[in-house]
Each structure stands twice: as structure tokens, then as C-alpha cells.
């Protein structure tokens, strides 16, 4: 419940009219520390509800402090890499803050600056901006940042990718040293971690699993297979030239070891990371994988937590996790930084129940690939059979998350030719 997060009534009313009934995980974890004025490092991407996670506490603190911005000044600055995001964030502040009567300004390049200059002149409670235009306006003295109390750096990784780091640093230099700072990034490459270290103080770190939006970008398939055939199937799958960089997930450390040994014997270059390996052995495996010397990494969920490697083309679930969240976390690793990837999941008879839980969580059916040499028709039938737990409403819905991504994308469905069970 939003009311349990300590939000004031005008915000709760606005959320109700937005149709939000419950906070998302990042909202649950970020809103309380932000209301207390803490700094925050948010590892999260669009679609997780991160905008509301920072906009709500910011609006509340503004409403409670009742300070007025001076001419051309701003109390809150949100920096974001693109014009589309700036507009979206501005709209979110407008929607959530509709009962608070605060002043907003949104500035971005590619359009005439006069209306923006006019909007800034009287001062803004919240200023949302892209870096280049903001810096222009600062140099022309149309805006000043020395009164900023809260600074949000949104999509820091994209900011760096787009070459905005110098502009961002120049803008940060204009801010007061004493301020609340929030940094959001979908990924944590070293450059972003370094930036975070340099601008955050005593910060809270909140990391959330990739959203349904990410899941929709990943091409998913499930392969029904007898447990005893899994290793042979894995060898087959890795022969595919399309597999550039793959992570193979197993449920246990022991399983990871056995899979890695099996692959090694068949001449596949493979590294393994799991809790039983020494730190240096893990580092070595990771370094080899990052550098491209090792194409396949075998990992358990725990060992893979926090590792961030670009360019993963395939996630192979040798075992299906019994926690649906782990599935989302695993496959999200192949859809980093806008790239699309493939997630192949092996499913034996005992794992059908996990598959159903996953489909319920991601709200889509995972297309079945029955064209592989170890296809187990009996397990496919087990999966298609109606089960006691699956009432008509319990089946996976074939629509994207309701009220979810906001980007109008639809879920990817199975391709023709790949058997999928009839709709539940
Ligand atoms: P964001 O990750 O901030 O881009 O938000 C993604 C989408 O989720 C936006 O369309 C928001 O309007 C929506 N949203 C954010 N929080 C919630 C919530 N608690 N309940 C329902 N929808 C939400």
C-alpha cells in the first residue's frame, strides 16, 4: 500500500486517480529513505516504476518545505539523456503533483529556447532537463543551479554512452555541495560506479530485477527434455553459431560443476562460477568470459548476482529456477543496454510446475521449441494438460503487463512452426 510508505494525502489521491493500487518493488524500497533525505543509487531501468520512486518523495519534500524558488532558480533538478524521457518525467511530476500546485519547467534541445526561457524566468520547483540545452541556458544565465536541493541523474549509463559525461560534470559543478543526490542506471559499468562514488554520499543502494518490459524483449523458448538428456541437449545448443556469449544457469553448485566438466570433455571452452570456487578462480573465469576467451559461463543464481557483462547473446536455463523472480533476473542479463537476446529453458517433468509459475509471473506463455533432437513429447503433454492449479484465470495472459511498460510494445509471441499448446 502506498499509504504505508508515509506519503501525504494529496499524493495518495493523485496515485488513486492514476489507477495505481500498489507500489512497485523499487518504490517500496526507495521511497522511505528518500523521504528521509538520503542519497540513493538505483539500479533499475525504465518500466520498473522508477520515475514515481523518485518523483513522489521529491514532491512530498517540496510540499512540506514550502520554499519558493528565486527567479531563474530551481529547487530540484532532474537530468535525463533524451528529450522523450524529459517530457515523460515532466508529465509524471505533473500527474503525481497535480494537487500540490508546484512549478515545473522542462528543457531539451532541438526546439526553440524562448518558451523554455520564459518558463524558467520565475523560478521552478522542479526542472527536468537534457544536459546540452541546460548547459546552454546556464551559460546564457537564463537559469542558475545554486539553489538546487535535490539532484537526480537519470539513466546514467545511457548518459555516458551518448557522450554526455563532460556536460554532466559541468552541470554538477554548478550545484551546491550540500544537496540530496539520486543516481539511476540500468547497468553498472565501472564508469558509472566511479561517477556514483564521486557524487553520492552515504547512499542507499536499491537494485530491482528487470521489468516485464525487458522480458518482452528477450526471445524465450522452452525445450522439453528428459533430465538424463539435458547435457547432450546443451552440447547441441552450444554448437549453434548464433551463440556468441552464453551463461548456463544451474540450480546447484554441484550441478554447475558437472555441467562444466561435461562441456570441457567435449571441447567447449567454459568457465564456472559458483560458491565453491575460490574468489580468484571466479575472477579468472569472469575475466576470460569478458575478454571473449571463454564463450560459455556456467553459473548458479547466487554466483551470478551482481556480475555485469555486456554482449550476452544467450541465457540457457539448464535447470528452471523454482523462484520465478530468478527467471526474470537470469534472462534480463541478455537484454542489457537495449540489446535483444535469446533465453532457452530446458524443462523436465519435475520442472513443469516451475514453468507454470514463471509464465504466471511474466504474464505470457513461453513458446515451445519441439524441433530439437531430445524433445520429450510426454513432458509436453504433461504441460498442455489442464491441471488442478490452473483454473481458467490462472493461466498466463498473453498481453503485456497491464499499465506496465507505457511504451506501447507488445509481447513477442511464438513463431509459426514452433508447437505451442492451445490457449488455456
Ligand atoms: P517507469 O519505470 O518510471 O518508466 O514507469 C513505468 C510505467 O509504470 C509508467 O507507465 C508508470 O505510469 C507505471 N507505474 C509506475 N508505478 C506504478 C504503480 N505503482 N502501479 C502501476 N503502474 C505504475
Amino acid at each position: 500500500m502506498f499509504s504505508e510508505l508515509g506519503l501525504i494525502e494529496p499524493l495518495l489521491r493523485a496515485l488513486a486517480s492514476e489507477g495505481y493500487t500498489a507500489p512497485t518493488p523499487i518504490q517500496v524500497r526507495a521511497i522511505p529513505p528518500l523521504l528521509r533525505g538520503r542519497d540513493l543509487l538505483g539500479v533499475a531501468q525504465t518500466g520498473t516504476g522508477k520515475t514515481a520512486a523518485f518523483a513522489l518523495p521529491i514532491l512530498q519534500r517540496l510540499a512540506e518545505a514550502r520554499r519558493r524558488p528565486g527567479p531563474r532558480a530551481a529547487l530540484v533538478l532532474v537530468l535525463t539523456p533524451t528529450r522523450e524521457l524529459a517530457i515523460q518525467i515532466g508529465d509524471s511530476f505533473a500527474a503525481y503533483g497535480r494537487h500540490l500546485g508546484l512549478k515545473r519547467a522542462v528543457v531539451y534541445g532541438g526546439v526553440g529556447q524562448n518558451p523554455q526561457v520564459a518558463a524558467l524566468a520565475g523560478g521552478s520547483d522542479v526542472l527536468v532537463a537534457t544536459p546540452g540545452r541546460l548547459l546552454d541556458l546556464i551559460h546564457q544565465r537564463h537559469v542558475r543551479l545554486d539553489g538546487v536541493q535535490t539532484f537526480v541523474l537519470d539513466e546514467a549509463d545511457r548518459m555516458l554512452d551518448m557522450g554526455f559525461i563532460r556536460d554532466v560534470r559541468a552541470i554538477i559543478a554548478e550545484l551546491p555541495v550540500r544537496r540530496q543526490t539520486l543516481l539511476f542506471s540500468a547497468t553498472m559499468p565501472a564508469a558509472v560506479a566511479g561517477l556514483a562514488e564521486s557524487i553520492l554520499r552515504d547512499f542507499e543502494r536499491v537494485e530491482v530485477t528487470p521489468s516485464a518490459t525487458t522480458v518482452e524483449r528477450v526471445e524465450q523458448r522452452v525445450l522439453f527434455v528428459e533430465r538424463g538428456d539435458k547435457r547432450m541437449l546443451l552440447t547441441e545448443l552450444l554448437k549453434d553459431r548464433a551463440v556468441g556469449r552464453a551463461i548456463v544457469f544451474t540450480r546447484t553448485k554441484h550441478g554447475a560443476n558437472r555441467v562444466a566438466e561435461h562441456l570441457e570433455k567435449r571441447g567447449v571452452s567454459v568457465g564456472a562460477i559458483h560458491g565453491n570456487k575460490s574468489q580468484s578462480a571466479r575472477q579468472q573465469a569472469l575475466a576470460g568470459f569478458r575478454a571473449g576467451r571463454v564463450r560459455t559461463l556456467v553459473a548458479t543464481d547466487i554466483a551470478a548476482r551482481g556480475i555485469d557483462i555486456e554482449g550476452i547473446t544467450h541465457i540457457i536455463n539448464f535447470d528452471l529456477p523454482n523462484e520465478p523472480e530468478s527467471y526474470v533476473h537470469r534472462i534480463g542479463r541478455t537484454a542489457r543496454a537495449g540489446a535483444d537476446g535469446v533465453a532457452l529453458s530446458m524443462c523436465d517433468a519435475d520442472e513443469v510446475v516451475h514453468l507454470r509459475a514463471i509464465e504466471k509471473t511474466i504474464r505470457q506463455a513461453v513458446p515451445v521449441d519441439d524441433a530439437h533432437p531430445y524433445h520429450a513429447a510426454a513432458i509436453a503433454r504433461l504441460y498442455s494438460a489442464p491441471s488442478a492449479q490452473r483454473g481458467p484465470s490462472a493461466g498466463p495472459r498473453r498481453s503485456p503487463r497491464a499499465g506496465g511498460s507505457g511504451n506501447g510494445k507488445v509481447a513477442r509471441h511464438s513463431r509459426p512452426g514452433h508447437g505451442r499448446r492451445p490457449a488455456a
Side-chain angles (χ1 to χ4, degrees), residues 97-322:
R98 71 180 70 165
H99 303 302
L100 299 175
L102 298 165
K103 285 201 284 184
R104 278 173 303 112
V106 182
V107 310
Y108 45 82
V111 294
Q113 72 167 39
N114 290 346
Q116 298 177 358
V117 169
L120 292 166
S124 340
D125 291 293
V126 178
L127 167 59
V128 184
T130 55
R133 172 59 60 93
L134 179 62
L135 210 51
D136 271 357
L137 293 169
I138 292 172
H139 290 151
Q140 299 171 57
R141 302 191 189 282
H142 289 305
V143 60
R144 46 192 292 179
L145 301 182
D146 55 356
V148 169
Q149 299 167 353
T150 302
F151 168 55
V152 181
L153 184 59
D154 187 36
E155 309 237 336
D157 50 354
R158 246 168 107 189
M159 216 61 116
L160 265 61
D161 288 346
M162 292 171 74
F164 289 151
I165 186 65
R166 284 176 66 112
D167 287 356
V168 168
R169 288 211 180 268
I171 289 165
I172 291 171
E174 299 284 322
L175 300 171
V177 177
R178 263 181 61 94
R179 58 166 198 261
Q180 181 184 28
T181 306
L182 288 60
L183 185 151
F184 288 89
S185 195
T187 59
M188 267 299 137
V192 175
L195 182 65
E197 278 303 320
S198 70
I199 67 172
L200 298 172
R201 290 186 170 190
D202 181 30
F203 58 89
E204 191 90 23
R205 182 187 165 111
V206 173
E207 182 164 359
V208 295
T209 51
S211 64
T213 326
T214 315
V215 170
E216 284 159 20
R217 287 217 316 266
V218 179
E219 185 179 334
Q220 303 169 64
R221 269 172 270 154
V222 60
L223 294 80
F224 294 114
V225 56
E226 299 291 347
R227 184 175 306 165
D229 289 337
K230 279 188 173 185
R231 282 187 262 176
M232 297 310 294
L233 174 56
L234 177 62
T235 317
E236 281 302 311
L237 294 177
L238 291 175
K239 280 183 189 158
D240 185 346
R241 283 173 179 277
V243 180
R245 220 172 249 189
I247 302 188
V248 179
F249 280 98
T250 63
R251 206 156 32 213
T252 64
K253 299 180 229 177
H254 193 57
N257 257 343
R258 277 187 311 191
V259 168
E261 277 166 21
H262 168 84
L263 291 175
E264 249 158 38
K265 273 189 212 145
R266 273 153 193 81
V268 179
S269 75
V270 61
I273 52 164
H274 54 74
N276 279 0
K277 293 255 169 184
S278 72
Q279 187 64 26
S280 69
R282 275 198 260 179
Q283 294 296 354
Q284 215 180 336
L286 273 180
F289 189 62
R290 260 202 193 98
R293 289 191 299 276
V294 174
R295 213 167 58 120
T296 310
L297 198 63
V298 185
T300 55
D301 290 296
I302 308 246
R305 192 168 297 165
I307 64 166
D308 196 16
I309 293 169
E310 298 290 322
I312 293 167
T313 60
H314 287 67
I315 296 297
I316 301 180
N317 290 314
F318 188 85
D319 300 313
L320 273 179
N322 42 15

Side-chain angles (χ1 to χ4, degrees), residues 2 18-24 27 45-53 88 92 96 401-407:
F2 279 108
E18 287 297 299
Y20 297 3
T21 48
T24 66
Q27 290 161 6
Q45 48 207 341
T46 303
T48 53
K50 73 179 157 97
T51 313
Q88 251 178 54
S92 298
Y96 309 144
R401 194 165 62 125
S405 68
N407 64 2

Side-chain angles (χ1 to χ4, degrees), residues 338-401:
D340 288 1
V342 180
L344 306 175
S345 298
M346 300 191 197
C347 179
D348 67 24
D350 294 339
E351 291 170 319
V352 168
V353 53
H354 301 329
L355 177 60
R356 288 188 179 143
I358 287 163
E359 291 187 327
K360 217 170 143 183
T361 296
I362 63 173
R363 299 186 184 174
Q364 47 180 292
V366 179
V368 175
D369 179 352
D370 55 7
H372 65 88
Y374 299 94
H375 177 65
I379 301 173
R381 279 196 298 276
L382 183 66
Y383 167 71
S384 315
S387 92
Q389 314 145 0
R390 275 163 64 86
S393 63
R397 281 197 264 138
R398 298 213 166 76
S399 58
R401 194 165 62 125

